[in-house]
């Protein structure tokens, strides 16, 4: 046995990957000149691509004029509304998604809402993937996807998001500050903490003390951890943790036949009642309602708009 090991030369290896990914509301729509969508927010990233026509998107008081081919990126929790801007309406393609991955989140969280023109290098690189997904959505409208088609759709989405992040890095030419590097380490620690909690079923206990544990591991105070993370990611560490848990809960509800009691246990909640209360605080509906709506619609339900924040 020792001779076999000594004679073995490893010439390639990728790291273990465990990513919680949630894709929701991928759709293509044609709307009229009087169409509007009221102010709302959601706990997911959004890519909004205008295929034909003109529209106006208001994001936290700032107006973005989107024309044919322009792409708009919106972060979670950002209040926004939109309406037609032309006399003939417009056609758009929209993707809502969440990815519980520290490296990916780091790239996106440092950027505010941004509109990229159709002539920009970023949109030119993304256009083939956006077009492929538009065609996929159109061809499979109101159809239940087979396992093979679902995987092909995910592959196209990951190609899109991978290219998006790559282009953002090249276009914006960011150099991480010490504060951003520290926030990234905090995010990585949160991810590790959640993976450990899911493995050992201790989310409730961990939720109360994970900031303190991360602070100790980085030789910081809990207040420093909260302040640095808030400044870079735009949210508290506890909220970031809750978003990852929400994404995992939604995935389990939509992609498995596990009972809600079993899902609550996997997520580390001591009772399904506590998990149900927490899930309802997150998105306004109980997990049973969320799953039931998905089953009736044969697809993930849209999260109802949250009340508008005071500004």
């Amino acid at each position: 046995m020792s001779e076999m090991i000594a004679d073995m030369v490893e010439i390639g290896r990728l790291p273990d990957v465990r990513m919680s990914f949630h894709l929701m509301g991928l759709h293509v729509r044609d709307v009229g000149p009087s169409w509007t969508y009221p102010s709302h927010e959601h706990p997911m990233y959004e890519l909004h691509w205008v295929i034909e026509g003109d529209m106006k998107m208001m994001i936290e008081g700032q107006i973005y004029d989107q024309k044919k081919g322009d792409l708009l990126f919106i972060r979670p929790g950002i209040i926004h509304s939109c309406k037609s801007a032309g006399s003939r309406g417009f056609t758009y393609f929209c993707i809502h998604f969440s990815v519980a991955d520290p490296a990916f989140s780091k790239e996106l969280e440092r950027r505010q809402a941004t509109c990229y023109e159709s002539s920009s290098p970023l949109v030119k690189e993304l256009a083939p993937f956006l077009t492929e997904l538009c065609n996929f959505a159109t061809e499979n409208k109101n159809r239940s996807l087979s396992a093979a088609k679902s995987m092909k759709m995910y592959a196209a989405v990951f190609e899109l998001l991978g290219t998006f992040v790559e282009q953002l890095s090249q276009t914006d030419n960011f150099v991480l500050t010490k504060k951003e590097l520290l926030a990234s380490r905090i995010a990585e620690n949160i991810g590790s903490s959640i993976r450990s909690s899911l493995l050992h079923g201790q989310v409730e206990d961990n939720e109360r003390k994970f900031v303190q544990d991360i602070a100790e591991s980085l030789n910081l105070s809990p207040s420093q951890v909260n302040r640095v993370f808030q400044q870079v990611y735009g949210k508290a560490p506890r909220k970031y943790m809750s978003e990852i848990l929400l994404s995992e809960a939604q995935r389990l509800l939509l992609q498995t036949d596990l009972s809600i009691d079993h899902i609550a246990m996997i997520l580390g909640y001591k009772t399904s009642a506590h998990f149900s209360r927490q899930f309802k605080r997150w998105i306004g509906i109980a997990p049973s309602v969320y799953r039931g709506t998905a089953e009736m619609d044969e697809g993930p339900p849209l999260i109802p708009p949250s009340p508008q924040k005071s500004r």
Side-chain angles (χ1 to χ4, degrees):
M1 182 69 178
S2 60
E3 291 179 359
M4 290 176 59
I5 295 174
D7 195 42
M8 181 178 66
V9 178
E10 187 170 76
I11 60 174
R13 176 187 287 268
L14 290 173
D16 294 341
V17 175
R18 185 185 187 279
M19 178 184 294
S20 179
F21 175 75
H22 184 201
L23 178 66
M24 187 182 75
L26 188 153
H27 58 268
V28 184
R29 285 180 182 160
D30 188 33
V31 300
S34 60
W35 182 87
T36 62
Y37 199 91
S39 293
H40 63 288
E41 60 176 299
H42 42 71
M44 309 192 88
Y45 297 104
E46 179 176 344
L47 288 175
H48 193 283
W49 189 43
V50 172
I51 300 170
E52 292 286 347
D54 303 322
M55 66 155 285
K56 287 185 181 291
M57 178 80 78
M58 179 175 285
I59 303 177
E60 296 201 322
Q62 182 172 348
I63 295 177
Y64 295 85
D65 292 308
Q66 261 188 288
K67 300 186 180 300
K68 178 179 178 179
D70 293 350
L71 180 71
L72 189 64
F73 167 66
I74 305 172
R75 284 170 46 186
I78 301 298
I79 298 171
H80 55 290
S81 62
C82 55
K83 63 180 181 179
S84 293
S87 59
R88 291 185 290 181
F90 67 98
T91 304
Y92 73 95
F93 175 56
C94 188
I95 302 175
H96 297 85
F97 65 94
S98 63
V99 180
D101 179 75
F104 190 88
S105 297
K106 176 187 67 178
E107 292 294 333
L108 296 185
E109 291 293 340
R110 292 186 287 117
R111 294 164 174 85
Q112 302 300 319
T114 307
C115 187
Y116 298 93
E117 295 183 356
S118 59
S119 59
S120 67
L122 181 141
V123 175
K124 287 182 177 179
E125 287 292 327
L126 295 183
F129 304 113
L130 291 166
T131 301
E132 180 183 2
L133 285 166
C134 281
N135 292 337
F136 194 92
T138 303
E139 292 167 2
N140 295 278
K141 180 184 176 183
N142 296 327
R143 293 181 185 174
S144 180
L145 297 181
S146 65
K149 283 191 174 182
S150 293
M151 294 309 295
K152 288 180 179 179
M153 180 190 66
Y154 279 123
V157 170
F158 278 116
E159 285 277 10
L160 170 69
L161 298 182
T163 304
F164 180 53
V165 171
E166 181 181 46
Q167 286 296 311
L168 284 178
S169 301
Q170 293 177 4
T171 302
D172 297 340
N173 196 27
F174 273 111
V175 176
L176 291 180
T177 64
K178 290 183 178 180
K179 184 184 295 184
E180 289 171 333
L181 287 170
L182 181 56
S184 177
R185 291 184 63 190
I186 295 170
E188 290 170 1
N189 274 266
I190 292 173
S192 297
S193 178
I194 290 175
R195 285 191 292 273
S196 176
S197 296
L198 294 177
L199 181 63
H200 300 292
Q202 299 173 335
V203 167
E204 288 183 300
D205 296 334
N206 198 55
E207 192 173 344
R208 288 192 287 269
K209 67 186 184 71
F210 84 102
V211 172
Q212 183 176 344
D213 290 344
I214 290 172
E216 290 177 357
S217 70
L218 297 175
N219 293 319
L220 299 171
S221 67
S223 62
Q224 285 176 303
V225 168
N226 282 301
R227 184 175 65 254
V228 169
F229 197 85
Q230 178 76 45
Q231 289 173 347
V232 175
Y233 281 77
K235 65 189 72 174
R238 287 177 66 91
K239 180 173 175 58
Y240 181 76
M241 179 181 186
S242 292
E243 289 175 356
I244 296 176
L245 287 172
L246 169 60
S247 179
E248 183 68 9
Q250 289 172 315
R251 183 189 70 79
L252 290 169
L253 287 166
L254 296 179
Q255 298 178 10
T256 74
D257 295 325
L258 299 175
S259 68
I260 291 176
D261 285 346
H262 194 170
I263 291 173
M265 181 184 70
I266 290 173
L267 294 175
Y269 291 91
K270 294 177 180 176
T271 67
S272 59
H274 187 184
F275 165 62
S276 295
R277 288 195 300 271
Q278 180 61 59
F279 191 89
K280 193 170 184 178
R281 281 198 293 268
W282 280 333
I283 66 170
I285 57 177
S288 56
V289 175
Y290 180 84
R291 172 178 270 176
T293 304
E295 290 173 349
M296 286 190 296
D297 295 343
E298 293 187 345
L302 290 175
I303 295 176
S306 302
Q308 184 163 330
K309 295 177 182 176
S310 59
R311 285 182 283 178

